[in-house]
Amino acid sequence: MTVTAVRSKVNLTPQLEIAGGRQLSGEVAVSGAKNSALVLMAACLLSRDTIRLRNVPPLTDIAAMADMLSSLGVTVQASDEAIELSGDRINSAAAPYELVNSLRASFFCIGPLLARMGMARVPLPGGCQIGTRPVVEHVKGLKAMGAQVTIEHGVVTAVVPGRGHRLKGGRIHLDCPSVGATETLMMAAALADGETVIDNAAQEPEVVDLAGLLIAMGGRVRGAGTPTITIVGVDRLHGADYAVIPDRIEAGTFLLAAAITRSKLRITPVIPEHLGAVITKLEEAGCRIEHDGIGVNITARQINAVDLRTQPFPGFPTDLQAPFMSLLATAKGTSVITENIFENRLQHVAELQRMGAAIRMQGNTAFVEGVARLSGAPVQGTDLRASAAMVLAGLAAEGITTVRGLEYLDRGYAALEHKLNAAGAQISRVEAA
Ligand code: EPZ
């Protein structure tokens, strides 16, 4: 009987089985940045020409974005080296609910769709495990550029009134430095009539990467990576061939894998400026980290407690809060970790406690008292980064840890277990009843 047939009879769930206590060594390769590739793919809607993106990670989220763009009429051709997206025959400005609901980032398409088509209908992305994920700033900014926006029955409809249906440049002040809102509005402004200034913009490297692509397409963008971004709209954007930056969150996850197993590891490629806060915290915790222009070498022996407060870039990234907590659960001393970005991004605490972690919660703050050894247990990843945190904890734990929630993990990590096994870990992907 095939696995599929068995699975249809018994409720089989894929999980990772991790034998803890092994040190890592050698070199780990970092893939392209998921949170950059997704928005760069959406930018293809701005041009009739072909956008060729290299270093795109092979992730389920990338496939979901490709499906979403195809549903709008974009031609998508993926190969091992690159993804080619041609927006010359867009035949719809209405994104399907089931695709937006499965991939929050597809909501960002509302910006380029509106700029290109003069209208867009995109379902509200809805919340997820880590928070309500509002899109108030995205909508506010589009209105500031002249769009009429209504939200009915869970669908955002945006229309540019008047002749030519062209957005107008405007001045936008974001109440919070939302990454998605910044990116959505940059794409909308790229084809608008006149100049748009976004104040209190997000400064994440993925925002800078989007600016790089827009400029390669003939766009006029300056100030990306600072709190004020200025975009002067152009009449059209041409094709481009562009490489996605390395994934700083994946790289940070591997740095933490080395630290939690007290190993010496080389991780490449890494752009150190993208991981400043993380590297500083790891050095504060006792790791030695050197960068040689391409990658970083980390050596971890004794790990001491440190305090973390997640902040917008260049502060400590919320996406590495859970993985870093796994490390601090094994540190010497008590760490204080405060999650300031998302309202519900501490669900991994309960799973770490199942492995013997000594953590006390107070609102959005976790007091983590390091223990000598975590103990292997069956645990569940509750979101993408929490799943990664459980894998890290399993690497260091005594005995076997089984991690469920791979549907989250595979969204953000390309072949995580293969990369870690190549560095000496012992992880297998199994089906369990
Ligand atoms: C991006 O999400 C990333 N996703 C997230 O990565 C990342 O955690 C997040 O930025 C913060 O760095 C992608 O880029 C695809 P935000 P985004 O809008 O754009 C609040 C991962 O694990 N907010 O910057 O949705 C919001 O509620 C994912 O790879 C408002 O209040 O994040 C949140 O608390 C998870 N009003 C905070 O801002 C708004 O209108 C940050 O959200 C918009 C956002």
Side-chain angles (χ1 to χ4, degrees):
M1 188 185 281
T2 63
V3 170
T4 311
V6 169
R7 191 182 279 174
S8 66
K9 294 254 179 296
V10 175
N11 181 16
L12 284 177
T13 308
Q15 61 185 29
L16 292 183
E17 216 163 72
I18 305 165
R22 299 167 64 92
Q23 280 209 304
L24 305 180
S25 62
E27 181 170 301
V28 182
V30 179
S31 302
K34 162 182 87 86
N35 289 347
S36 181
L38 289 171
V39 71
L40 299 189
M41 289 171 75
C44 80
L45 292 165
L46 292 166
S47 172
R48 292 183 181 284
D49 298 342
T50 297
I51 307 292
R52 185 168 189 272
L53 295 178
R54 286 172 281 114
N55 198 34
V56 176
L59 299 168
T60 54
D61 271 8
I62 298 295
M65 179 61 92
D67 291 347
M68 156 73 191
L69 293 168
S70 302
S71 75
L72 300 171
V74 173
T75 310
V76 182
Q77 285 177 321
S79 69
D80 289 349
E81 297 73 43
I83 286 188
E84 294 195 351
L85 305 114
S86 305
D88 55 344
R89 282 197 297 274
I90 297 176
N91 52 29
S92 164
Y97 170 77
E98 63 283 352
L99 291 175
V100 175
N101 193 43
S102 68
L103 174 65
R104 168 183 174 71
S106 48
F107 183 77
F108 302 165
C109 293
I110 194 167
L113 261 182
L114 189 59
R116 175 76 186 278
M117 309 289 279
M119 70 90 63
R121 280 174 58 77
V122 183
L124 278 170
C128 69
Q129 296 280 358
I130 61 178
T132 53
R133 313 295 294 271
V135 288
V136 171
E137 299 302 317
H138 312 55
V139 171
K140 196 174 78 173
L142 293 175
K143 285 181 175 175
M145 286 196 263
Q148 288 172 356
V149 185
T150 54
I151 299 178
E152 282 170 346
H153 313 301
V155 176
V156 181
T157 301
V159 177
V160 185
R163 273 163 34 83
H165 304 294
R166 191 176 182 187
L167 290 166
K168 290 186 300 303
R171 185 157 201 114
I172 301 163
H173 183 91
L174 298 179
D175 284 353
C176 65
S178 158
V179 175
T182 302
E183 294 166 341
T184 300
L185 299 171
M186 284 167 72
M187 291 188 281
L191 289 178
D193 181 11
E195 179 177 275
T196 298
V197 178
I198 305 173
D199 274 326
N200 196 24
Q203 304 176 58
E204 271 71 1
E206 293 75 29
V207 169
V208 178
D209 215 21
L210 173 60
L213 173 62
L214 292 174
I215 291 165
M217 293 167 69
R220 296 174 58 192
V221 184
R222 62 178 191 278
T226 77
T228 302
I229 301 176
T230 302
I231 304 105
V232 178
V234 295
D235 293 339
R236 67 178 291 278
L237 289 167
H238 53 69
D241 185 326
Y242 192 80
V244 177
I245 53 172
D247 194 316
R248 62 192 170 100
I249 305 302
E250 187 192 25
T253 306
F254 289 136
L255 283 169
L256 288 160
I260 203 167
T261 55
R262 310 303 190 262
S263 305
K264 188 174 168 52
L265 199 60
R266 176 173 170 70
I267 296 141
T268 181
V270 171
I271 300 172
E273 301 76 46
H274 292 178
L275 278 168
V278 179
I279 289 172
T280 301
K281 277 298 165 185
L282 281 168
E283 289 172 333
E284 198 183 312
C287 297
R288 198 175 75 245
I289 298 175
E290 293 122 21
H291 187 260
D292 65 4
I294 299 172
V296 290
N297 299 305
I298 177 170
T299 306
R301 296 286 174 259
Q302 160 79 26
I303 297 292
N304 308 309
V306 294
D307 294 343
L308 289 186
R309 302 176 58 80
T310 61
Q311 298 292 344
F313 195 88
F316 188 91
T318 174
D319 292 350
L320 284 172
Q321 177 261 108
F324 213 112
M325 187 183 290
S326 293
L327 172 65
L328 295 176
T330 71
K332 189 170 168 29
T334 299
S335 306
V336 182
I337 300 175
T338 306
E339 172 55 55
N340 294 310
I341 303 296
F342 288 106
E343 62 264 36
N344 191 29
R345 204 174 201 177
L346 290 162
Q347 298 173 76
H348 46 283
V349 167
E351 297 303 308
L352 285 171
Q353 287 169 331
R354 289 168 50 78
M355 298 179 71
I359 305 174
R360 188 168 51 81
M361 292 300 299
Q362 197 171 340
N364 64 340
T365 298
F367 297 84
V368 183
E369 186 184 343
V371 295
R373 238 17 242 277
L374 294 172
S375 58
V379 290
Q380 170 76 39
T382 49
D383 75 82
L384 164 51
R385 307 304 174 180
S387 301
M390 302 326 295
V391 173
L392 297 186
L395 291 177
E398 177 89 42
I400 299 290
T401 298
T402 54
V403 179
R404 295 189 175 193
L406 304 195
E407 66 278 15
Y408 295 116
L409 193 71
D410 295 343
R411 296 184 55 179
Y413 294 92
L416 183 64
E417 70 265 28
H418 299 303
K419 293 185 178 181
L420 290 173
N421 285 342
Q426 190 177 317
I427 307 173
S428 46
R429 187 174 285 238
V430 299
E431 304 267 351

